[in-house]
C-alpha cells in the first residue's frame, strides 16, 4: 500500500488494481471509496466498531436492541422518515449486528448518495428515544428471540456450544442476548451505549459504486464532517478466554428434532490475531476438509463409509479476537453420533499426520480465490468485504493481498493447521431426538 500526504482531511491510501481509497476526516471518521462504474448506483454503509461482544456485563443484546432503536427517528427526521425516503427513491436499506460490529446500509441511485449521508449523519448523533418507543421495540426483540431460538432445538444447541466454547469471553453470549437480560433493557441502557460507541472516531463509512473519491469525500465532509469529535475512539475491554485443557460435550434432546446432527468446535486464531499466513492456512485446510462434493469429510463419511448424509464446516475468520472453526456431520439412520464423531476425528487426524496432495492443495486454493473473485461481482459484497475487515482490525492492503497469501500456503502449513483441531480441546454438540417425550 502506498501512503501519500494530502492537503485534504488526512492521508489517502490507494491500492494497485481497483482504485480503492481511504481518507480520515478531521473528526476521526474513516471514509473508504470503492469505485464500481458498471451501474449508476451506490451502496452506502456505515460501520461501527462495536458488536454484541461489547455489550456491558448483564446487558446482553443491547447492541442488537440499539440497532432496532436507530430506526425510531431523530428530532430532525421523525420515526419512519428515513425509511420512507429510501423507499421513495426506489432504494433498499437494512442493518445488522455481529459479534464485533454493527452496520447500516442503503443502496440507491448515485445521485441520492448525499441524501443518504445527511440522514445517516443525523442519526449518528440525533437519536431521540422515549419509553413509549423503547418498550414496544423490546417486545419485538423478545418475540424475535422466541421465534428464532426458543422454538428451534438446533439454535438452542448452537447457543449452548458457543457458551461452552467461550466460557469467559463474550463470544459465548448470543448476539440477540439472553432472554432474561433483554427483558431488563431500558431507554437509559440504550442511550448510554449509543453515546459510548456511535461517534465519528468509531465509525467507518464505506461507499461502493458509481462514484469518485473526490465526490464522496466532499459529501462526507459536508455531512459527517460536521459532527464534532469526541476524542479517542472507545476502547474495547474484553476478558480473554483461558487455554482449553479438556474436551466438553453438549447434548440437546428434543421431540421437535427431525434429523440428529453432530458438531465439533474449536477456538482458533482469527485474521486479526493470527500469525502471518496462519489464518489463510486454516482457510485452505477447511476447504480441503469440507468443500461440497470434493472435501475429505464428504468423501470419507458420505461416499466411502456411508455413515452420513452430509458433512462440512465453517471458519469464522473475520473477528477481533480468537474465533471459532466448526466441523459437522449429519448421520444416516442407524449411525450413532459417537461413531460418527470418531470417524470425523479420523479424517482430521489423517490430514494432520499424512498431509495433503499437490492436487488437493491447488484445488483448494483455486476455489477460495475464485469464490472471492466472484463475490466482487456484487457491489454490496464488495462493501461488506472491506467493511467487515476494517471493522475487525484488518487493513485495505490485507484484503487486497489476500489471494497472494492464500497462494503462499504450503502443504506443511495445512498439516499444522489441521493439528489445531485436537478433539481433546474441542466442544462437541450433539442434537438428538427425544424419543421419550
Amino acid at each position: 500500500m502506498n501512503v501519500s500526504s494530502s492537503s485534504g482531511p488526512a492521508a489517502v491510501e490507494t491500492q494497485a488494481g481497483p482504485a480503492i481509497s481511504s481518507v480520515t476526516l478531521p473528526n476521526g471518521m474513516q471514509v473508504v471509496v470503492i469505485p464500481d462504474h458498471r451501474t449508476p448506483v451506490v451502496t452506502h454503509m456505515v460501520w461501527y466498531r462495536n458488536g454484541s461482544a461489547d455489550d456491558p456485563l448483564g446487558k446482553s443484546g443491547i447492541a442488537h436492541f440499539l440497532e432496532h432503536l436507530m430506526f425510531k427517528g431523530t428530532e430532525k427526521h421523525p420515526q419512519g422518515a428515513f425509511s420512507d425516503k429510501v423507499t421513495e427513491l426506489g432504494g433498499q436499506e437494512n442493518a445488522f449486528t455481529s459479534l464485533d460490529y454493527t452496520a447500516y446500509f442503503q443502496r440507491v441511485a448515485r445521485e441520492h448518495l448525499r441524501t443518504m449521508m445527511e440522514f445517516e449523519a443525523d442519526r449518528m448523533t440525533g437519536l431521540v428515544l422515549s419509553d413509549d418507543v423503547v418498550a414496544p421495540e423490546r417486545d419485538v426483540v423478545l418475540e424475535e428471540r422466541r421465534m428464532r431460538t426458543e422454538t428451534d432445538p438446533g439454535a438452542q444447541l448452537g447457543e449452548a456450544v458457543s457458551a461452552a466454547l467461550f466460557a469467559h469471553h463474550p463470544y459465548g453470549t448470543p448476539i440477540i442476548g439472553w432472554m432474561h437480560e433483554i427483558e431488563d433493557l431500558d431507554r437509559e441502557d440504550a442511550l448510554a451505549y449509543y453515546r459510548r460507541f456511535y461517534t465519528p472516531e468509531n465509525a467507518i463509512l464505506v461507499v461502493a459504486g458509481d462514484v469518485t473519491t473526490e465526490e464522496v469525500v466532499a459529501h462526507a465532509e459536508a455531512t459527517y464532517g460536521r459532527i464534532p469529535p469526541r476524542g479517542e475512539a472507545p476502547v474495547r475491554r474484553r476478558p480473554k478466554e483461558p487455554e482449553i485443557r479438556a474436551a466438553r460435550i453438549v447434548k440437546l434432546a428434543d421431540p421437535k428434532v427431525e434429523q440428529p446432527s453432530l458438531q465439533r468446535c474449536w477456538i482458533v486464531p482469527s485474521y486479526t490475531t493470527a500469525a502471518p499466513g496462519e489464518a489463510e492456512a486454516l482457510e485452505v485446510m477447511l476447504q480441503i476438509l469440507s468443500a461440497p462434493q470434493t472435501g475429505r469429510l464428504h468423501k470419507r463419511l458420505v461416499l466411502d463409509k456411508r455413515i452420513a448424509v452430509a458433512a462440512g464446516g465453517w471458519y469464522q475468520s473475520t473477528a477481533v479476537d480468537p474465533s471459532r472453526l466448526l466441523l459437522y456431520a449429519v448421520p444416516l439412520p442407524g449411525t450413532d453420533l459417537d461413531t460418527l464423531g470418531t470417524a470425523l476425528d479420523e479424517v482430521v487426524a489423517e490430514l494432520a499426520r499424512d498431509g495433503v496432495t499437490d492436487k488437493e492443495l491447488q484445488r483448494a486454493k483455486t476455489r477460495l480465490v475464485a469464490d472471492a473473485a466472484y463475490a466482487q461481482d456484487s457491489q454490496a459484497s464488495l462493501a461488506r468485504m472491506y467493511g467487515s475487515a476494517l471493522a475487525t482490525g484488518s487493513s485495505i492492503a490485507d484484503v487486497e493481498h489476500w489471494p497472494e497469501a492464500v497462494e503462499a500456503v504450503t502443504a506443511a502449513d495445512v498439516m499444522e493447521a489441521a493439528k489445531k483441531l485436537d478433539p481433546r480441546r474441542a466442544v462437541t454438540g450433539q442434537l438428538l431426538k427425544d424419543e421419550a417425550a
Side-chain angles (χ1 to χ4, degrees):
M1 179 188 300
N2 296 321
V3 181
S4 60
S5 298
S6 171
S7 59
V12 178
E13 308 169 47
T14 306
Q15 283 30 266
I20 299 172
S21 300
S22 175
V23 173
T24 301
L25 301 181
N27 61 10
M29 186 174 186
Q30 185 177 6
V31 180
V32 177
V33 184
I34 309 172
D36 177 8
H37 302 294
R38 291 173 293 182
T39 55
V41 298
V42 294
T43 298
H44 169 261
M45 303 190 76
V46 174
W47 298 73
Y48 293 96
R49 295 181 183 91
N50 66 276
S52 63
D54 302 298
D55 292 347
L57 189 64
K59 303 290 184 182
S60 67
I62 189 62
H64 172 257
F65 185 32
L66 180 57
E67 176 215 313
H68 278 241
L69 294 174
M70 286 289 284
F71 289 85
K72 296 306 176 182
T74 66
E75 184 175 344
K76 185 176 181 181
H77 300 115
Q79 181 174 346
F82 194 170
S83 296
D84 290 345
K85 174 57 71 171
V86 174
T87 300
E88 176 189 327
L89 298 176
Q92 302 168 324
E93 67 165 346
N94 213 326
F96 52 87
T97 304
S98 182
L99 293 167
D100 292 308
Y101 48 76
T102 308
Y104 302 83
F105 69 90
Q106 303 85 35
R107 182 173 167 86
V108 294
R110 68 177 312 279
E111 61 267 25
H112 303 308
L113 174 61
R114 171 70 173 264
T115 300
M116 296 300 99
M117 289 188 179
E118 290 171 348
F119 272 95
E120 201 67 82
D122 176 52
R123 181 157 68 173
M124 185 181 289
T125 59
L127 183 64
V128 174
L129 297 178
S130 66
D131 290 336
D132 290 342
V133 167
V134 171
E137 197 62 33
R138 183 177 56 230
D139 291 338
V140 170
V141 175
L142 288 168
E143 183 60 24
E144 180 182 342
R145 181 175 169 87
R146 290 188 190 97
M147 293 180 63
R148 294 186 178 181
T149 306
E150 303 300 318
T151 60
D152 183 347
Q156 293 169 32
L157 179 67
E159 285 192 348
V161 168
S162 291
L165 185 68
F166 294 102
H168 194 54
H169 190 280
Y171 284 171
T173 301
I175 293 171
I176 196 171
W178 300 115
M179 180 71 83
H180 66 286
E181 293 186 349
I182 300 171
E183 291 172 342
D184 290 335
L185 297 178
D186 59 24
R187 173 178 172 274
E188 287 306 316
D189 294 327
L191 288 174
Y193 195 85
Y194 175 71
R195 288 190 289 264
R196 178 184 176 193
F197 287 111
Y198 283 60
T199 71
E201 299 93 335
N202 201 45
I204 305 165
L205 169 65
V206 179
V207 178
D210 189 19
V211 292
T212 65
T213 298
E214 292 73 21
E215 65 182 311
V216 171
V217 171
H219 291 326
E221 287 178 318
T223 53
Y224 297 107
R226 294 180 178 178
I227 301 173
R230 303 272 191 90
E232 295 295 324
V235 177
R236 290 170 158 173
R237 298 180 178 89
R238 299 174 176 179
K240 294 182 178 180
E241 192 68 27
E243 181 182 353
I244 294 177
R245 300 183 182 275
R248 287 157 286 181
I249 299 176
V250 179
K251 295 184 179 182
L252 190 148
D254 192 286
K256 295 190 291 293
V257 173
E258 297 182 1
Q259 177 63 67
S261 65
L262 169 86
Q263 55 183 267
R264 289 242 203 279
C265 200
W266 294 265
I267 294 178
V268 296
S270 66
Y271 273 101
T272 305
T273 63
E278 191 177 20
E280 290 85 356
L282 285 164
E283 297 265 27
V284 174
M285 181 270 297
L286 182 65
Q287 183 70 210
I288 290 167
L289 283 175
S290 66
Q293 310 307 318
T294 61
R296 288 194 181 188
L297 289 174
H298 179 82
K299 288 182 176 179
R300 301 287 196 275
L301 305 184
V302 178
L303 300 181
D304 295 346
K305 295 190 175 184
R306 298 189 178 184
I307 58 175
V309 295
W314 51 264
Y315 169 33
Q316 195 168 7
S317 59
T318 304
V320 168
D321 297 315
S323 190
R324 72 195 83 193
L325 187 150
L326 180 145
L327 300 178
Y328 70 86
V330 179
L332 271 173
T335 302
D336 68 83
L337 295 184
D338 289 335
T339 299
L340 187 59
T342 299
L344 184 150
D345 293 338
E346 289 172 352
V347 177
V348 177
E350 179 187 7
L351 180 59
R353 180 185 65 248
D354 301 333
V356 60
T357 66
D358 291 341
K359 183 178 180 180
E360 278 183 304
L361 181 62
Q362 193 53 53
R363 181 171 59 201
K365 293 179 183 180
T366 300
R367 183 161 187 166
L368 281 170
V369 173
D371 286 348
Y374 296 149
Q376 294 186 44
D377 282 342
S378 165
Q379 187 185 100
S381 293
L382 266 174
R384 290 187 69 146
M385 182 187 306
Y386 282 92
S388 61
L390 293 168
T392 53
S394 293
S395 67
I396 292 174
D398 291 332
V399 179
E400 292 290 332
H401 299 306
W402 179 83
E404 300 166 26
V406 168
E407 291 292 353
V409 173
T410 66
D413 295 333
V414 172
M415 292 176 69
E416 286 302 311
K419 290 175 183 177
K420 290 181 172 64
L421 307 189
D422 185 341
R424 296 170 298 180
R425 304 289 185 268
V427 173
T428 298
Q430 294 186 355
L431 186 64
L432 303 157
K433 185 172 183 63
D434 187 354
E435 302 289 357

